[in-house]
Amino acid sequence: MLYLAIKSLISGVLIAIASTLARRYPGVGALVASLPLVSVLGMLWLWHDRPDAENMAAHAGATFWYVLPSLPMFPVMAALLRHGAGFWVSLAIGCCLTVALYGALTWIGPRFGLNL
C-alpha cells in the first residue's frame, strides 16, 4: 500500500508542477506536459514490479502506437477554443475524438500486424 501511495504522490506532484507552470508560462507548461513523464514513470514502475525486457519492449512499442491517436485532440481543442467553443465542450469533443481513434487503432492495428 505504501508503494502505491509513493507512486501516486510522485505522479501527482509532476502533474501539479506542469499545471502550475502553465498558469504563468503556457509554453513551458505545455512543454512539461508534453514530455512523456507519465510513460517514463509507468515504465519505471513496471520495470520495478516486473523486470522483463520483452514485456518492457512490448509496452514501449504499444505506447508509441497509442500516442498517435491521442495527438489530434490537441489541435482540435485549440481550433474549437479559438472559434469560441467553451472549454468543457472542446475537451469533450477532443476526448471523444481520441476514444474513437483509439477504437479505430485497436480494430485496424492487428490487420497490419500491430500487436497491441
PDB file of all heavy atoms in Angstrom, residues 42-43 45-47 49-63:
ATOM      1  N   GLY A  42       5.552   5.220 -15.759  1.00  0.00           N
ATOM      2  CA  GLY A  42       4.901   3.924 -15.900  1.00  0.00           C
ATOM      3  C   GLY A  42       5.903   2.823 -16.198  1.00  0.00           C
ATOM      4  O   GLY A  42       5.813   1.717 -15.641  1.00  0.00           O
ATOM      5  N   MET A  43       6.877   3.128 -17.062  1.00  0.00           N
ATOM      6  CA  MET A  43       7.902   2.130 -17.372  1.00  0.00           C
ATOM      7  C   MET A  43       8.778   1.842 -16.154  1.00  0.00           C
ATOM      8  O   MET A  43       9.149   0.694 -15.912  1.00  0.00           O
ATOM      9  CB  MET A  43       8.740   2.579 -18.561  1.00  0.00           C
ATOM     10  CG  MET A  43       7.980   2.475 -19.873  1.00  0.00           C
ATOM     11  SD  MET A  43       8.998   2.750 -21.330  1.00  0.00           S
ATOM     12  CE  MET A  43       9.020   4.532 -21.386  1.00  0.00           C
ATOM     13  N   TRP A  45       7.840   2.083 -12.977  1.00  0.00           N
ATOM     14  CA  TRP A  45       7.056   1.276 -12.032  1.00  0.00           C
ATOM     15  C   TRP A  45       6.928  -0.153 -12.551  1.00  0.00           C
ATOM     16  O   TRP A  45       7.031  -1.112 -11.786  1.00  0.00           O
ATOM     17  CB  TRP A  45       5.669   1.863 -11.812  1.00  0.00           C
ATOM     18  CG  TRP A  45       5.604   3.301 -11.385  1.00  0.00           C
ATOM     19  CD1 TRP A  45       4.709   4.231 -11.842  1.00  0.00           C
ATOM     20  CD2 TRP A  45       6.419   4.005 -10.435  1.00  0.00           C
ATOM     21  NE1 TRP A  45       4.929   5.446 -11.244  1.00  0.00           N
ATOM     22  CE2 TRP A  45       5.971   5.342 -10.379  1.00  0.00           C
ATOM     23  CE3 TRP A  45       7.509   3.641  -9.640  1.00  0.00           C
ATOM     24  CZ2 TRP A  45       6.548   6.295  -9.549  1.00  0.00           C
ATOM     25  CZ3 TRP A  45       8.093   4.601  -8.821  1.00  0.00           C
ATOM     26  CH2 TRP A  45       7.604   5.903  -8.778  1.00  0.00           C
ATOM     27  N   LEU A  46       6.683  -0.298 -13.864  1.00  0.00           N
ATOM     28  CA  LEU A  46       6.546  -1.629 -14.460  1.00  0.00           C
ATOM     29  C   LEU A  46       7.845  -2.419 -14.324  1.00  0.00           C
ATOM     30  O   LEU A  46       7.831  -3.596 -13.955  1.00  0.00           O
ATOM     31  CB  LEU A  46       6.144  -1.511 -15.929  1.00  0.00           C
ATOM     32  CG  LEU A  46       5.996  -2.808 -16.724  1.00  0.00           C
ATOM     33  CD1 LEU A  46       4.930  -3.702 -16.094  1.00  0.00           C
ATOM     34  CD2 LEU A  46       5.649  -2.503 -18.179  1.00  0.00           C
ATOM     35  N   TRP A  47       8.980  -1.769 -14.606  1.00  0.00           N
ATOM     36  CA  TRP A  47      10.274  -2.448 -14.506  1.00  0.00           C
ATOM     37  C   TRP A  47      10.558  -2.860 -13.068  1.00  0.00           C
ATOM     38  O   TRP A  47      11.075  -3.943 -12.820  1.00  0.00           O
ATOM     39  CB  TRP A  47      11.391  -1.561 -15.052  1.00  0.00           C
ATOM     40  CG  TRP A  47      12.691  -2.301 -15.121  1.00  0.00           C
ATOM     41  CD1 TRP A  47      13.730  -2.241 -14.247  1.00  0.00           C
ATOM     42  CD2 TRP A  47      13.078  -3.245 -16.132  1.00  0.00           C
ATOM     43  NE1 TRP A  47      14.734  -3.063 -14.632  1.00  0.00           N
ATOM     44  CE2 TRP A  47      14.364  -3.708 -15.800  1.00  0.00           C
ATOM     45  CE3 TRP A  47      12.464  -3.735 -17.276  1.00  0.00           C
ATOM     46  CZ2 TRP A  47      15.051  -4.625 -16.578  1.00  0.00           C
ATOM     47  CZ3 TRP A  47      13.149  -4.656 -18.046  1.00  0.00           C
ATOM     48  CH2 TRP A  47      14.421  -5.095 -17.696  1.00  0.00           C
ATOM     49  N   ASP A  49       8.338  -3.606 -10.837  1.00  0.00           N
ATOM     50  CA  ASP A  49       7.438  -4.709 -10.497  1.00  0.00           C
ATOM     51  C   ASP A  49       7.754  -5.984 -11.270  1.00  0.00           C
ATOM     52  O   ASP A  49       7.548  -7.087 -10.763  1.00  0.00           O
ATOM     53  CB  ASP A  49       5.980  -4.325 -10.780  1.00  0.00           C
ATOM     54  CG  ASP A  49       5.501  -3.197  -9.880  1.00  0.00           C
ATOM     55  OD1 ASP A  49       6.138  -2.949  -8.836  1.00  0.00           O
ATOM     56  OD2 ASP A  49       4.486  -2.558 -10.239  1.00  0.00           O
ATOM     57  N   ARG A  50       8.222  -5.828 -12.527  1.00  0.00           N
ATOM     58  CA  ARG A  50       8.456  -6.990 -13.386  1.00  0.00           C
ATOM     59  C   ARG A  50       9.598  -6.690 -14.352  1.00  0.00           C
ATOM     60  O   ARG A  50       9.363  -6.269 -15.486  1.00  0.00           O
ATOM     61  CB  ARG A  50       7.173  -7.315 -14.154  1.00  0.00           C
ATOM     62  CG  ARG A  50       7.263  -8.543 -15.012  1.00  0.00           C
ATOM     63  CD  ARG A  50       5.930  -8.814 -15.687  1.00  0.00           C
ATOM     64  NE  ARG A  50       6.086  -9.869 -16.664  1.00  0.00           N
ATOM     65  CZ  ARG A  50       5.191 -10.121 -17.590  1.00  0.00           C
ATOM     66  NH1 ARG A  50       4.092  -9.419 -17.659  1.00  0.00           N
ATOM     67  NH2 ARG A  50       5.396 -11.086 -18.442  1.00  0.00           N
ATOM     68  N   PRO A  51      10.840  -6.867 -13.923  1.00  0.00           N
ATOM     69  CA  PRO A  51      11.987  -6.546 -14.788  1.00  0.00           C
ATOM     70  C   PRO A  51      12.172  -7.579 -15.904  1.00  0.00           C
ATOM     71  O   PRO A  51      13.013  -8.455 -15.845  1.00  0.00           O
ATOM     72  CB  PRO A  51      13.175  -6.543 -13.824  1.00  0.00           C
ATOM     73  CG  PRO A  51      12.753  -7.419 -12.699  1.00  0.00           C
ATOM     74  CD  PRO A  51      11.263  -7.309 -12.604  1.00  0.00           C
ATOM     75  N   ASP A  52      11.363  -7.440 -16.941  1.00  0.00           N
ATOM     76  CA  ASP A  52      11.355  -8.362 -18.066  1.00  0.00           C
ATOM     77  C   ASP A  52      11.506  -7.541 -19.342  1.00  0.00           C
ATOM     78  O   ASP A  52      10.618  -6.750 -19.689  1.00  0.00           O
ATOM     79  CB  ASP A  52      10.035  -9.130 -18.040  1.00  0.00           C
ATOM     80  CG  ASP A  52       9.828 -10.045 -19.230  1.00  0.00           C
ATOM     81  OD1 ASP A  52      10.618  -9.989 -20.194  1.00  0.00           O
ATOM     82  OD2 ASP A  52       8.856 -10.819 -19.202  1.00  0.00           O
ATOM     83  N   ALA A  53      12.627  -7.711 -20.032  1.00  0.00           N
ATOM     84  CA  ALA A  53      12.926  -6.889 -21.207  1.00  0.00           C
ATOM     85  C   ALA A  53      11.875  -7.056 -22.303  1.00  0.00           C
ATOM     86  O   ALA A  53      11.492  -6.070 -22.945  1.00  0.00           O
ATOM     87  CB  ALA A  53      14.316  -7.228 -21.744  1.00  0.00           C
ATOM     88  N   GLU A  54      11.416  -8.272 -22.541  1.00  0.00           N
ATOM     89  CA  GLU A  54      10.424  -8.491 -23.599  1.00  0.00           C
ATOM     90  C   GLU A  54       9.102  -7.804 -23.262  1.00  0.00           C
ATOM     91  O   GLU A  54       8.475  -7.178 -24.124  1.00  0.00           O
ATOM     92  CB  GLU A  54      10.201  -9.984 -23.826  1.00  0.00           C
ATOM     93  CG  GLU A  54       9.283 -10.284 -24.988  1.00  0.00           C
ATOM     94  CD  GLU A  54       9.713  -9.641 -26.312  1.00  0.00           C
ATOM     95  OE1 GLU A  54      10.922  -9.590 -26.602  1.00  0.00           O
ATOM     96  OE2 GLU A  54       8.826  -9.176 -27.062  1.00  0.00           O
ATOM     97  N   ASN A  55       8.685  -7.891 -22.019  1.00  0.00           N
ATOM     98  CA  ASN A  55       7.461  -7.222 -21.572  1.00  0.00           C
ATOM     99  C   ASN A  55       7.600  -5.709 -21.715  1.00  0.00           C
ATOM    100  O   ASN A  55       6.682  -5.026 -22.181  1.00  0.00           O
ATOM    101  CB  ASN A  55       7.146  -7.612 -20.124  1.00  0.00           C
ATOM    102  CG  ASN A  55       5.846  -7.036 -19.646  1.00  0.00           C
ATOM    103  OD1 ASN A  55       4.811  -7.202 -20.270  1.00  0.00           O
ATOM    104  ND2 ASN A  55       5.901  -6.348 -18.522  1.00  0.00           N
ATOM    105  N   MET A  56       8.773  -5.175 -21.350  1.00  0.00           N
ATOM    106  CA  MET A  56       9.002  -3.731 -21.453  1.00  0.00           C
ATOM    107  C   MET A  56       9.025  -3.294 -22.914  1.00  0.00           C
ATOM    108  O   MET A  56       8.480  -2.234 -23.260  1.00  0.00           O
ATOM    109  CB  MET A  56      10.316  -3.349 -20.769  1.00  0.00           C
ATOM    110  CG  MET A  56      10.566  -1.856 -20.750  1.00  0.00           C
ATOM    111  SD  MET A  56       9.278  -0.903 -19.923  1.00  0.00           S
ATOM    112  CE  MET A  56       9.509  -1.452 -18.246  1.00  0.00           C
ATOM    113  N   ALA A  57       9.628  -4.112 -23.784  1.00  0.00           N
ATOM    114  CA  ALA A  57       9.664  -3.777 -25.203  1.00  0.00           C
ATOM    115  C   ALA A  57       8.247  -3.746 -25.778  1.00  0.00           C
ATOM    116  O   ALA A  57       7.901  -2.836 -26.545  1.00  0.00           O
ATOM    117  CB  ALA A  57      10.527  -4.791 -25.963  1.00  0.00           C
ATOM    118  N   ALA A  58       7.434  -4.702 -25.407  1.00  0.00           N
ATOM    119  CA  ALA A  58       6.039  -4.730 -25.872  1.00  0.00           C
ATOM    120  C   ALA A  58       5.288  -3.505 -25.358  1.00  0.00           C
ATOM    121  O   ALA A  58       4.521  -2.876 -26.092  1.00  0.00           O
ATOM    122  CB  ALA A  58       5.351  -6.014 -25.408  1.00  0.00           C
ATOM    123  N   HIS A  59       5.521  -3.143 -24.100  1.00  0.00           N
ATOM    124  CA  HIS A  59       4.871  -1.974 -23.519  1.00  0.00           C
ATOM    125  C   HIS A  59       5.294  -0.695 -24.246  1.00  0.00           C
ATOM    126  O   HIS A  59       4.455   0.133 -24.613  1.00  0.00           O
ATOM    127  CB  HIS A  59       5.215  -1.881 -22.024  1.00  0.00           C
ATOM    128  CG  HIS A  59       4.724  -0.647 -21.376  1.00  0.00           C
ATOM    129  ND1 HIS A  59       3.414  -0.480 -20.995  1.00  0.00           N
ATOM    130  CD2 HIS A  59       5.355   0.508 -21.057  1.00  0.00           C
ATOM    131  CE1 HIS A  59       3.263   0.710 -20.455  1.00  0.00           C
ATOM    132  NE2 HIS A  59       4.431   1.331 -20.485  1.00  0.00           N
ATOM    133  N   ALA A  60       6.601  -0.524 -24.470  1.00  0.00           N
ATOM    134  CA  ALA A  60       7.105   0.686 -25.137  1.00  0.00           C
ATOM    135  C   ALA A  60       6.582   0.774 -26.568  1.00  0.00           C
ATOM    136  O   ALA A  60       6.180   1.853 -27.023  1.00  0.00           O
ATOM    137  CB  ALA A  60       8.635   0.696 -25.122  1.00  0.00           C
ATOM    138  N   GLY A  61       6.563  -0.342 -27.270  1.00  0.00           N
ATOM    139  CA  GLY A  61       6.047  -0.336 -28.640  1.00  0.00           C
ATOM    140  C   GLY A  61       4.571   0.008 -28.699  1.00  0.00           C
ATOM    141  O   GLY A  61       4.138   0.818 -29.526  1.00  0.00           O
ATOM    142  N   ALA A  62       3.782  -0.583 -27.819  1.00  0.00           N
ATOM    143  CA  ALA A  62       2.345  -0.292 -27.792  1.00  0.00           C
ATOM    144  C   ALA A  62       2.092   1.156 -27.392  1.00  0.00           C
ATOM    145  O   ALA A  62       1.191   1.813 -27.931  1.00  0.00           O
ATOM    146  CB  ALA A  62       1.637  -1.248 -26.837  1.00  0.00           C
ATOM    147  N   THR A  63       2.911   1.677 -26.477  1.00  0.00           N
ATOM    148  CA  THR A  63       2.758   3.077 -26.056  1.00  0.00           C
ATOM    149  C   THR A  63       2.939   4.006 -27.254  1.00  0.00           C
ATOM    150  O   THR A  63       2.178   4.960 -27.425  1.00  0.00           O
ATOM    151  CB  THR A  63       3.755   3.428 -24.942  1.00  0.00           C
ATOM    152  OG1 THR A  63       3.494   2.593 -23.814  1.00  0.00           O
ATOM    153  CG2 THR A  63       3.636   4.886 -24.529  1.00  0.00           C
TER     154      THR A  63
END
